[in-house]
């Protein structure tokens, strides 16, 4: 069954079958046409819900290759079948083996090959097409992913930053499906921000909405941690966690799900600065973040992350009043621009290095053709 959040569908299981090949023609040595292939193709405006609604049987079968005949000794290839899907899809088989990924529009993944047409080597008998059950798993692609425990104010923050209108209330698990908002800047730059269902302790073991949350975090460029400055308690029977403890537990959940997730660039947002004693709580959090090892006793050893994250910015805000939102937008832009600049510099270095190697090879070829020898003076 596909996982759903309201009307949002983020994975589908499909039956795909390549077309059978066509019959060969023994008396004239004719070869039957190859069966059609099944491809999954990325298309921007497509969603998995549309695929599910349009193809309720969830079966995709490619065309059969034509038989060899006196008029056409080589049969024509069967028609390919395309499954249109949104970018951000990972295609796997039932065993979890990754068949391919669709990162940008136009990317294609072959999921079922057509059978070969009948020929002399097969006694002119065709083969059947490949049959598979495949899974399409959507991982959102956004510039920023909001990471936080329930009721930390992620939905309120997304509303304050963008024109998105996620559900907001004063109880846990308000966000039951991913929301994407766009942060607009005066120079018309747009940054996408994903608000995802809140984590709980044990999310890496798929508690709560664990894996449905964490898999989307994988496909964001950077992370935006959101914590309540006054701390967090999920329910009366669960322990109270301070803002510092919440940060450490969030890092640990990401780390346990996939060890390299905490390596993503991150900004820490300390929300609800309009509450009483918020300034004192913020000062305490800042001291703890500067010296995390001195406060490691606050959590059991198995809840401590292996490595502490270094946040590029720690920004106090109040999503309810708007305090600090403008400064946060500036910090977000600076962080993303920094990564873009580093990526550009790296690309330039790679190109220069490639050009240098190419020039060197051309020079060596030229001098070897001219039979030129160089005398390298020895140090006296």
């Amino acid at each position: 069954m596909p996982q759903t959040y309201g009307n949002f569908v983020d994975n589908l299981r499909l039956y795909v079958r390549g077309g059978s090949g066509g019959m060969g023609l023994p008396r004239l040595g004719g070869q039957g046409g190859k069966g059609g292939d099944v491809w999954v193709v990325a298309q921007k405006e497509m969603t998995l819900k549309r695929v599910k609604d349009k193809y309720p049987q969830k079966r995709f079968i490619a065309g059969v290759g034509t038989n060899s005949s006196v008029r056409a000794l080589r049969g024509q290839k069967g028609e390919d079948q395309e499954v249109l899907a949104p970018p951000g899809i990972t295609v796997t088989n039932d065993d979890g083996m990754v068949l391919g990924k669709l990162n940008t529009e136009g990317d294609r993944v072959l999921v079922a090959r057509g059978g070969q047409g009948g020929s002399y080597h097969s006694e002119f008998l065709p083969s059947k097409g490949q049959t598979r059950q495949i899974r399409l798993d959507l991982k959102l692609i956004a510039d920023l992913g909001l990471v936080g425990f329930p009721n930390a104010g992620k939905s309120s923050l997304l509303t304050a930053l963008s024109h998105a209108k996620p559900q907001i209330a004063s109880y846990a698990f308000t966000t039951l499906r991913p929301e994407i908002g766009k942060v607009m800047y005066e120079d018309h730059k747009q940054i996408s921000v994903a608000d995802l269902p809140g984590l709980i302790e044990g999310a890496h073991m798929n508690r709560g909405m664990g894996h449905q949350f964490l898999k989307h975090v994988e496909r964001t460029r950077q992370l935006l941690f959101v914590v309540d400055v006054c701390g967090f308690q999920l329910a009366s029977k669960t322990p109270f966690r301070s803002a510092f403890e919440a940060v450490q537990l969030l890092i640990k959940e990401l780390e346990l799900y996939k060890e390299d997730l905490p390596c993503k660039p991150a900004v820490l947002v300390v929300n609800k600065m309009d509450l009483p004693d918020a300034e004192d709580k913020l000062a305490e959090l800042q001291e703890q973040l500067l010296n995390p090892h001195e406060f490691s006793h606050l959590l059991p050893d198995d809840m401590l992350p292996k490595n502490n994250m270094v946040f590029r910015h720690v920004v106090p805000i109040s999503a309810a009043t708007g305090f600090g939102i403008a400064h946060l937008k500036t910090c977000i832009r600076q962080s993303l621009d920094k990564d873009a600049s580093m990526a550009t510099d790296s690309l330039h270095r790679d190109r220069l290095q490639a050009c240098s190697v190419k020039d060197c090879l051309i020079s060596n070829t030229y001098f070897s053709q001219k039979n030129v020898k160089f005398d390298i003076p020895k140090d006296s």
Side-chain angles (χ1 to χ4, degrees):
M1 291 290 290
Q3 179 69 37
T4 61
Y5 307 97
N7 289 325
F8 185 85
V9 178
D10 74 349
N11 66 75
L12 277 179
R13 186 170 184 262
L14 307 176
Y15 172 86
V16 294
R17 188 175 77 205
S20 297
M23 291 288 293
L25 189 63
R27 65 189 178 89
L28 295 178
Q31 183 173 339
K34 181 183 177 298
D37 302 319
V38 183
W39 297 80
V40 180
V41 183
Q43 189 179 79
K44 261 186 182 177
E45 58 272 17
M46 186 54 65
T47 66
L48 288 186
K49 187 175 186 305
R50 286 186 188 174
V51 177
K52 177 173 173 278
D53 292 344
K54 188 174 180 180
Y55 304 97
Q57 301 301 318
K58 293 177 282 188
R59 292 170 64 87
F60 295 85
I61 301 171
V64 176
T66 60
N67 296 334
S68 173
S69 66
V70 174
R71 292 184 177 180
L73 289 179
R74 189 178 186 87
Q76 290 186 344
K77 183 179 184 294
E79 187 176 354
D80 287 350
Q81 174 73 277
E82 290 188 349
V83 183
L84 300 180
I89 288 290
T90 300
V91 186
T92 61
N93 63 13
D94 267 352
D95 296 327
M97 185 180 77
V98 176
L99 304 177
K101 295 183 179 182
L102 306 176
N103 293 318
T104 58
E105 185 170 24
D107 285 355
R108 302 165 64 86
V109 176
L110 178 63
V111 292
R113 295 182 183 277
Q116 293 299 321
S119 66
Y120 173 80
H121 301 289
S122 65
E123 298 181 348
F124 301 98
L125 295 175
S127 60
K128 293 182 178 180
Q130 188 177 20
T131 299
R132 263 186 176 149
Q133 297 282 356
I134 64 167
R135 295 178 184 273
L136 306 184
D137 192 34
L138 175 64
K139 297 179 181 179
L140 295 179
I141 299 177
D143 295 311
L144 289 169
L146 296 179
V147 178
F149 288 120
N151 210 30
K154 301 189 304 301
S155 297
S156 299
L157 174 58
L158 185 67
T159 302
L161 285 172
S162 70
H163 298 294
K165 295 180 180 179
Q167 187 180 357
I168 300 169
S170 58
Y171 53 84
F173 297 116
T174 306
T175 302
L176 299 177
R177 63 187 180 89
E179 297 276 356
I180 298 288
K182 294 282 186 180
V183 182
M184 308 290 292
Y185 290 86
E186 291 183 359
D187 62 353
H188 305 295
K189 169 78 173 179
Q190 294 184 30
I191 290 172
S192 57
V193 182
D195 177 25
L196 307 163
L199 282 175
I200 65 170
E201 291 177 37
H204 68 281
M205 295 185 292
N206 209 20
R207 290 178 184 166
M209 295 182 174
H211 289 179
Q212 280 70 40
F213 171 96
L214 289 162
K215 71 176 184 180
H216 293 304
V217 175
E218 288 184 73
R219 295 298 292 271
T220 59
R221 291 185 176 86
Q222 297 191 9
L223 304 177
L224 202 62
F225 279 60
V226 185
V227 296
D228 184 332
V229 69
C230 293
F232 165 74
Q233 187 173 19
L234 180 63
S236 58
K237 294 182 180 179
T238 59
F240 173 82
R241 303 299 187 188
S242 68
F244 173 73
E245 291 173 295
V247 171
Q248 299 302 302
L249 288 168
L250 288 169
I251 297 170
K252 184 65 176 179
E253 289 298 337
L254 298 182
E255 183 180 87
L256 288 171
Y257 177 71
K258 185 166 282 190
E259 198 163 346
D260 61 351
L261 268 185
C263 297
K264 285 179 179 283
V267 173
L268 175 60
V269 177
V270 185
N271 193 20
K272 304 189 182 181
M273 289 299 297
D274 53 306
L275 297 178
D277 301 323
E279 291 293 340
D280 293 338
K281 297 284 186 183
L282 175 64
E284 182 183 8
L285 172 61
Q286 288 172 328
E287 182 186 356
Q288 290 169 327
L289 290 173
L290 287 173
N291 306 286
H293 296 295
E294 293 182 17
F295 300 92
S296 59
H297 64 277
L298 296 173
L299 286 166
D301 290 343
D302 61 348
M303 291 186 178
L304 291 170
K306 291 181 181 176
N307 299 296
N308 286 297
M309 287 184 72
V310 178
F311 295 100
R312 289 185 172 176
H313 304 276
V314 178
V315 187
I317 68 152
S318 169
T321 66
F323 166 76
I325 296 296
H327 179 55
L328 175 59
K329 288 177 69 173
T330 301
C331 291
I332 289 170
R333 180 71 179 270
Q334 288 175 351
S335 185
L336 287 166
D337 285 351
K338 178 180 179 180
D339 277 2
S341 176
M342 288 168 63
T344 303
D345 291 345
S346 177
L347 180 62
H348 287 166
R349 283 196 300 271
D350 291 344
R351 286 179 175 174
L352 283 171
Q353 187 175 4
C355 289
S356 299
V357 171
K358 184 179 178 182
D359 291 343
C360 183
L361 290 172
I362 292 171
S363 299
N364 288 342
T365 303
Y366 172 80
F367 287 120
S368 63
Q369 288 173 347
K370 295 292 184 180
N371 198 25
V372 177
K373 293 183 179 179
F374 294 94
D375 290 326
I376 302 173
K378 294 180 181 179
D379 294 333
S380 56

